Coordinates of all heavy atoms in Angstrom, one line a residue:
G687 N 7.7 -29.5 10.3 CA 8.7 -29.7 11.3 C 9.3 -28.5 12.0 O 8.7 -27.2 11.9
R688 N 10.3 -28.4 12.6 CA 11.0 -27.3 13.3 C 11.9 -26.6 12.4 O 13.1 -26.8 12.3 CB 11.7 -27.7 14.6 CG 12.0 -26.6 15.5 CD 12.6 -26.9 16.8 NE 12.8 -25.8 17.7 CZ 11.9 -25.2 18.4 NH1 10.6 -25.6 18.4 NH2 12.2 -24.3 19.2
Q689 N 11.4 -25.8 11.5 CA 12.1 -24.9 10.6 C 11.9 -23.4 11.1 O 10.7 -23.1 11.6 CB 11.7 -25.1 9.3 CG 11.9 -26.5 8.8 CD 11.6 -26.5 7.2 OE1 12.3 -25.9 6.4 NE2 10.6 -27.3 6.7
P690 N 12.5 -22.4 10.5 CA 12.2 -21.0 10.7 C 10.9 -20.7 10.0 O 10.7 -21.3 8.9 CB 13.5 -20.3 10.1 CG 14.6 -21.3 10.1 CD 13.8 -22.5 10.0
V691 N 10.0 -20.1 10.6 CA 8.8 -19.7 10.0 C 8.6 -18.2 9.9 O 8.9 -17.5 10.8 CB 7.5 -20.4 10.9 CG1 6.2 -19.8 10.4 CG2 7.6 -21.9 10.8
T692 N 8.2 -17.7 8.7 CA 8.1 -16.3 8.5 C 6.7 -16.0 8.2 O 5.9 -16.7 7.5 CB 9.0 -16.1 7.3 OG1 10.3 -16.2 7.5 CG2 8.7 -14.4 6.8
L693 N 6.2 -14.9 8.7 CA 4.8 -14.3 8.4 C 5.0 -12.9 8.1 O 5.7 -12.2 8.8 CB 3.9 -14.4 9.6 CG 3.6 -15.8 10.1 CD1 4.3 -16.1 11.4 CD2 2.0 -16.0 10.4
D694 N 4.3 -12.3 7.0 CA 4.2 -10.9 6.7 C 3.0 -10.3 7.3 O 1.8 -10.7 6.7 CB 4.4 -10.7 5.2 CG 5.7 -11.2 4.8 OD1 6.8 -10.8 5.4 OD2 5.9 -11.9 3.7
I695 N 3.1 -9.5 8.4 CA 1.9 -9.2 9.1 C 1.5 -7.8 8.8 O 2.4 -6.8 9.1 CB 2.1 -9.5 10.5 CG1 2.5 -10.9 10.8 CG2 0.9 -9.0 11.4 CD1 2.7 -11.3 12.2
P696 N 0.4 -7.5 8.4 CA -0.1 -6.1 8.1 C -0.3 -5.3 9.4 O -0.7 -6.0 10.5 CB -1.3 -6.1 7.2 CG -1.9 -7.5 7.7 CD -0.7 -8.4 7.9
L697 N -0.2 -4.0 9.4 CA -0.5 -3.1 10.5 C -1.8 -3.4 11.3 O -2.0 -3.4 12.4 CB -0.3 -1.7 10.2 CG -0.4 -0.6 11.3 CD1 0.6 -0.8 12.2 CD2 -0.5 0.8 10.8
Q698 N -2.8 -3.7 10.4 CA -4.1 -3.9 10.9 C -4.2 -5.1 11.7 O -5.2 -5.3 12.5 CB -5.1 -4.0 9.7 CG -5.2 -2.7 8.9 CD -4.4 -2.9 7.8 OE1 -3.3 -3.3 7.8 NE2 -4.8 -2.2 6.6
S699 N -3.2 -6.0 11.7 CA -3.4 -7.3 12.6 C -2.3 -7.2 13.7 O -1.5 -8.1 13.9 CB -3.0 -8.5 11.6 OG -3.3 -9.6 12.3
K700 N -2.5 -6.2 14.5 CA -1.5 -6.0 15.6 C -1.7 -7.2 16.7 O -0.7 -7.5 17.3 CB -1.9 -4.7 16.4 CG -0.9 -4.4 17.6 CD -1.3 -3.1 18.2 CE -0.1 -2.8 19.3 NZ -0.2 -3.8 20.3
A701 N -2.9 -7.8 16.6 CA -3.0 -9.0 17.6 C -2.2 -10.1 17.1 O -1.6 -10.8 18.0 CB -4.5 -9.4 17.5
L702 N -2.0 -10.4 15.8 CA -1.0 -11.4 15.3 C 0.4 -11.1 15.8 O 1.3 -11.9 16.2 CB -1.2 -11.6 14.0 CG -0.4 -12.9 13.5 CD1 -0.5 -14.1 14.2 CD2 -0.8 -13.1 12.0
S703 N 0.8 -9.8 15.4 CA 2.1 -9.4 15.6 C 2.5 -9.5 17.2 O 3.6 -10.0 17.5 CB 2.3 -7.8 15.3 OG 2.0 -7.7 14.1
D704 N 1.5 -9.1 18.1 CA 1.7 -9.3 19.5 C 2.0 -10.8 19.9 O 2.8 -11.1 20.8 CB 0.6 -8.5 20.3 CG 0.6 -7.1 20.2 OD1 1.7 -6.6 19.7 OD2 -0.3 -6.5 20.5
Y705 N 1.1 -11.5 19.1 CA 1.0 -13.0 19.7 C 2.2 -13.6 19.3 O 3.0 -14.4 20.1 CB -0.2 -13.7 19.0 CG -0.4 -15.0 19.5 CD1 -1.2 -15.1 20.7 CD2 0.1 -16.1 18.9 CE1 -1.5 -16.5 21.2 CE2 -0.3 -17.4 19.5 CZ -1.0 -17.5 20.5 OH -1.2 -18.7 21.1
V706 N 2.8 -13.5 17.9 CA 4.0 -14.1 17.6 C 5.2 -13.5 18.3 O 6.1 -14.3 18.6 CB 4.1 -14.2 16.1 CG1 3.0 -14.9 15.4 CG2 4.3 -12.8 15.5
S707 N 5.2 -12.3 18.7 CA 6.3 -11.7 19.4 C 6.3 -12.3 20.9 O 7.4 -12.6 21.2 CB 6.0 -10.2 19.6 OG 6.0 -9.4 18.4
D708 N 5.2 -12.6 21.4 CA 5.2 -13.3 22.7 C 5.8 -14.8 22.6 O 6.2 -15.4 23.5 CB 3.8 -13.4 23.2 CG 3.3 -12.0 23.8 OD1 4.2 -11.2 23.9 OD2 2.1 -11.8 23.9
M709 N 5.6 -15.3 21.2 CA 6.3 -16.7 21.1 C 7.7 -16.6 20.9 O 8.3 -17.6 20.6 CB 5.6 -17.2 19.8 CG 4.1 -17.6 19.9 SD 3.3 -18.2 18.5 CE 4.2 -19.7 18.1
G710 N 8.2 -15.5 20.6 CA 9.6 -15.4 20.5 C 10.1 -14.9 19.0 O 11.2 -14.9 18.6
F711 N 9.1 -14.8 18.2 CA 9.3 -14.3 16.9 C 9.9 -13.0 16.9 O 9.6 -12.1 17.7 CB 8.1 -14.3 16.0 CG 7.6 -15.5 15.4 CD1 7.3 -16.7 16.2 CD2 7.5 -15.8 14.1 CE1 6.9 -17.9 15.9 CE2 7.0 -17.1 13.7 CZ 6.8 -18.1 14.4
T712 N 10.7 -12.5 15.9 CA 11.4 -11.3 15.8 C 11.1 -10.6 14.5 O 11.2 -11.3 13.5 CB 12.9 -11.2 16.1 OG1 13.6 -12.2 15.3 CG2 13.2 -11.8 17.6
P713 N 11.0 -9.2 14.5 CA 11.0 -8.5 13.1 C 12.2 -8.5 12.4 O 13.2 -8.2 13.0 CB 10.4 -7.2 13.6 CG 10.9 -7.0 14.9 CD 11.0 -8.4 15.6
S714 N 12.2 -8.6 11.2 CA 13.3 -8.5 10.3 C 13.3 -7.4 9.4 O 14.5 -6.8 9.1 CB 13.6 -9.8 9.5 OG 12.5 -10.1 8.7
F715 N 12.3 -7.1 8.7 CA 12.2 -5.8 8.0 C 10.7 -5.5 7.6 O 9.9 -6.3 8.1 CB 12.9 -6.0 6.7 CG 12.2 -6.8 5.6 CD1 11.4 -6.2 4.6 CD2 12.4 -8.1 5.5 CE1 10.8 -6.9 3.6 CE2 11.7 -9.0 4.6 CZ 11.0 -8.3 3.6
E716 N 10.5 -4.4 7.2 CA 9.1 -3.8 6.9 C 9.0 -3.3 5.6 O 9.8 -2.8 5.0 CB 8.5 -3.0 8.0 CG 9.3 -1.6 8.1 CD 8.8 -0.7 9.1 OE1 8.8 -1.0 10.3 OE2 8.3 0.4 8.8
T717 N 7.8 -3.2 5.0 CA 7.4 -2.6 3.8 C 6.2 -1.8 4.0 O 5.5 -1.8 5.1 CB 7.0 -3.7 2.6 OG1 5.9 -4.4 3.1 CG2 8.3 -4.6 2.6
A718 N 6.0 -0.9 3.1 CA 4.8 0.0 3.1 C 3.8 -0.5 2.1 O 4.2 -0.8 0.9 CB 5.1 1.5 2.8
R719 N 2.6 -0.9 2.5 CA 1.6 -1.1 1.5 C 1.0 0.3 0.9 O 0.7 1.2 1.5 CB 0.4 -1.8 2.1 CG -0.9 -2.1 1.3 CD -0.5 -2.9 0.0 NE 0.0 -4.2 0.2 CZ -0.9 -5.2 0.4 NH1 -2.2 -5.2 0.2 NH2 -0.3 -6.5 0.5
M720 N 1.2 0.3 -0.4 CA 1.0 1.5 -1.1 C -0.1 1.2 -2.3 O 0.0 0.1 -2.9 CB 2.2 2.1 -1.7 CG 3.3 2.4 -0.6 SD 4.8 3.2 -1.3 CE 4.2 4.7 -1.5
Y721 N -0.9 2.1 -2.6 CA -1.9 2.0 -3.7 C -1.8 3.2 -4.6 O -1.7 4.3 -4.1 CB -3.2 1.9 -3.1 CG -3.5 0.7 -2.2 CD1 -3.4 0.7 -0.9 CD2 -3.7 -0.6 -2.8 CE1 -3.7 -0.3 -0.1 CE2 -3.9 -1.7 -2.1 CZ -3.9 -1.6 -0.8 OH -4.1 -2.7 0.1
K722 N -2.0 3.1 -5.9 CA -2.3 4.0 -6.9 C -3.7 3.8 -7.4 O -4.1 2.9 -8.1 CB -1.3 3.9 -8.0 CG -1.5 5.1 -9.0 CD -0.4 4.9 -10.1 CE -0.5 6.1 -11.0 NZ 0.5 6.0 -12.1

């Protein structure tokens, strides 16, 4: 149904970021993917 929907989108998927931005989705925060 019509609830707030959240996606965590990696930098490599700019196409999805652009697409949901066009749908009216807004960024709320970001994290850094880090590896040891």
Side-chain angles (χ1 to χ4, degrees):
R688 193 169 183 82
Q689 300 186 62
V691 172
T692 295
L693 300 101
D694 294 315
I695 303 177
L697 182 67
Q698 296 92 326
S699 188
K700 185 176 183 298
L702 182 56
S703 299
D704 291 344
Y705 192 81
V706 298
S707 294
D708 289 342
M709 293 174 64
F711 280 58
T712 56
S714 55
F715 76 95
E716 66 180 55
T717 61
R719 174 58 62 91
M720 306 180 77
Y721 296 103
K722 183 176 183 178

